[in-house]
Amino acid sequence: MSLHDIAARALHALDPEDAHGWAIRGLKWGLGPRDGGVDDPILATSVAGLQLANCVGLAAGFDKNAEVPDAMLAAGFGFVEAGTVTPLAQAGNPRPRLFRLTDDQAVINRMGFNNEGLEPFAARLAARKHAHADRLGVFGANIGANKDAEDRIGDYVTGLTRLWGLSDYFTVNISSPNTPGLRALQTKAALEELLGRLAQARAELKKGGADYPIFLKVAPDLEEGEVEAIVETVLACGLNGIIVSNTTIARPDTLKSVQKAEGGGLSGAPLLVASTRVLAEFHAAAKGRVALIGAGGVASGADALAKIKAGACAVQLYSALVYGGPGLVVRIKKELAARLRAEGFASVSDAIGTA
C-alpha cells in the first residue's frame, strides 16, 4: 500500500464530504500519486473518435469544478470527466448528503449538483489549455441544469455553448436522481426535445470549424422499452455515445450498512451487476451504431472487463476510489491487461460485446 493509499484511508476518519474536500486540496497542492509508467498498448482504445492511451476513465462527480483534471490524468486515468456543472452556481442539497456504506463498498449521495457554476469552470479550462497545450490528456465536461431553471433544456445548451472548444467531449447528465424531475428528461418526447435543441446548437457551433463528441448519461432504473427508445433518439439527433450508468435509486436486499435507507443515488459495488445488465441491453439495441462507456461498480480489472464484454469501449469509476485509494487505477489497468491476454484478446476492441 502506497503512502497515498494510507492517506486516503486516514481520511475515512472525517465526514465523507470533508474528506473529499481535503482530497481535492491535496491534489491541487501537487500531493497526488503519479503513474510514471507507459500504458500497456493492449489498453488503448478509441471512443467516438477520441484516442485513449488506456480505457479506464474517471467519472464525473469527483472533480465537480474542474480543479484537478491534470492531477487525475497523472494518476493514471486514460480520460477524466469533470462536473456536473450548471450555468449558475448552486449550493446543492443540505448536508449531510454523502454517506459511506463501508460494509457494502458503496456510497449514497444526494449532493444536488452543488458546483461553482460555468464561469469558474470555463476559466480553469481556458487557463489549462494555455499552460499545457502541448500535453493535454482527454478531458470531458459533464453539463447539467440548475434546480430552479425555468428552461432546463436551455441550461444544457448554455453549458455546451460556453464550454465549446475547452473540452474534448461533453456529457449530457439527465440521470441524477437528486434534482427533482430531471430524470423525466429520459422519456421519449422530452429527450427528443432536449437532444434536438442540443443538435441545433452543435450545428451552429461546428461552423467555427471544430466538433466534439457528445454523450448522454443515463440511469440504470429504466422501464421496458426505454433502452431502445433512448438509442434511437440518440442516433436520430447525432449524438456520439451513451454512458451507462449513473447512480441507482434502487436498494438491493443485500445491503448491510446502517446508512442504506438514506435517500439519494447508490453507487459502488452493489451497482455493478445491474448497471452491467443495462449496458448489455444498450449494446444489443445499439448494434454498434453508437459508442458505449460502462460505469457503475467498477473496482477491479475483472469488473472493467465485464463492462467491456457487455459492450463498453471504455469504463469509468469514482466510488471505488473511496475504498481502493488513489493507487487503484494503476492496479485496475495491470489486472485488466493481464485478463485481456489470458482470455486471448489482442486489444480492448477485440473484447467489446463478447459476453
Side-chain angles (χ1 to χ4, degrees):
M1 184 180 296
S2 71
L3 287 174
H4 294 102
D5 290 329
I6 293 170
R9 187 159 295 184
L11 288 175
H12 280 224
L14 302 177
D15 166 85
E17 192 167 345
D18 291 339
H20 180 260
W22 279 108
I24 294 292
R25 290 185 191 96
L27 290 164
K28 290 171 70 175
W29 295 335
L31 301 178
R34 300 188 70 84
D35 179 10
V38 176
D39 281 320
D40 192 317
I42 201 171
L43 299 178
T45 191
S46 176
V47 184
L50 298 170
Q51 302 302 316
L52 306 178
N54 78 74
C55 63
V56 183
L58 177 67
F62 178 83
D63 186 10
K64 289 182 176 293
N65 297 304
E67 295 177 278
V68 291
D70 293 307
M72 297 310 286
L73 287 164
F77 284 101
F79 61 111
V80 165
E81 188 171 311
T84 298
V85 61
T86 56
L88 302 177
Q90 59 183 26
N93 294 321
R95 294 181 64 169
R97 54 192 180 180
L98 184 63
F99 307 89
R100 298 187 196 99
L101 280 65
T102 305
D103 291 341
D104 304 293
Q105 297 289 285
V107 171
I108 289 175
N109 92 83
R110 51 172 181 265
M111 304 298 287
F113 284 177
N114 58 304
N115 73 105
E116 297 175 358
L118 265 178
E119 290 310 315
F121 193 100
R124 292 187 183 103
L125 297 187
R128 174 180 182 259
K129 272 209 159 186
H130 178 73
H132 307 295
D134 59 332
R135 51 187 173 86
L136 291 175
V138 175
F139 172 86
N142 185 298
I143 55 176
N146 282 111
K147 180 178 180 180
D148 57 355
E150 292 185 8
D151 178 9
R152 282 187 172 170
I153 293 176
D155 277 10
Y156 288 97
V157 173
T158 297
L160 182 72
T161 302
R162 180 66 184 89
L163 299 176
W164 196 259
L166 296 175
S167 181
D168 299 302
Y169 72 90
F170 294 88
T171 297
V172 180
N173 185 0
I174 58 171
S175 49
S176 168
N178 301 316
T179 297
L182 190 74
R183 285 191 173 190
L185 290 172
Q186 292 179 138
T187 59
K188 192 172 190 300
L191 189 60
E192 287 176 344
E193 183 183 359
L194 167 64
L195 300 189
R197 285 177 60 181
L198 283 170
Q200 290 174 356
R202 183 187 196 179
E204 288 298 314
L205 292 164
K206 283 168 59 176
K207 291 178 181 178
D211 192 17
Y212 304 94
I214 302 177
F215 301 97
L216 180 71
K217 188 166 186 175
V218 299
D221 314 302
L222 297 172
E223 301 294 331
E224 186 175 350
E226 286 188 315
V227 169
E228 292 77 9
I230 289 171
V231 167
E232 295 307 321
T233 305
V234 161
L235 287 166
C237 294
L239 267 71
N240 305 86
I242 303 171
I243 300 178
V244 188
S245 68
N246 211 320
T247 59
T248 181
I249 56 174
R251 294 294 184 269
D253 294 337
T254 55
L255 294 179
K256 302 182 288 290
S257 302
V258 295
Q259 293 95 341
K260 64 184 180 181
E262 292 288 347
L266 173 71
S267 60
L271 184 55
L272 177 66
V273 172
S275 61
T276 306
R277 182 176 61 247
V278 176
L279 172 64
E281 293 175 9
F282 272 97
H283 176 68
K287 298 180 175 65
R289 295 173 294 169
V290 65
L292 300 174
I293 295 176
V298 175
S300 68
D303 298 338
L305 184 56
K307 297 284 190 189
I308 293 164
K309 292 170 75 171
C313 46
V315 302
Q316 289 180 319
L317 62 95
Y318 169 19
S319 296
L321 294 175
V322 174
Y323 302 103
L328 178 64
V329 62
V330 173
R331 297 193 293 273
I332 288 176
K333 291 192 297 182
K334 288 181 179 177
E335 183 186 347
L336 175 57
R339 285 179 174 268
L340 284 166
R341 289 194 172 90
E343 295 197 23
F345 298 115
S347 65
V348 169
S349 60
D350 282 350
I352 295 171
T354 57

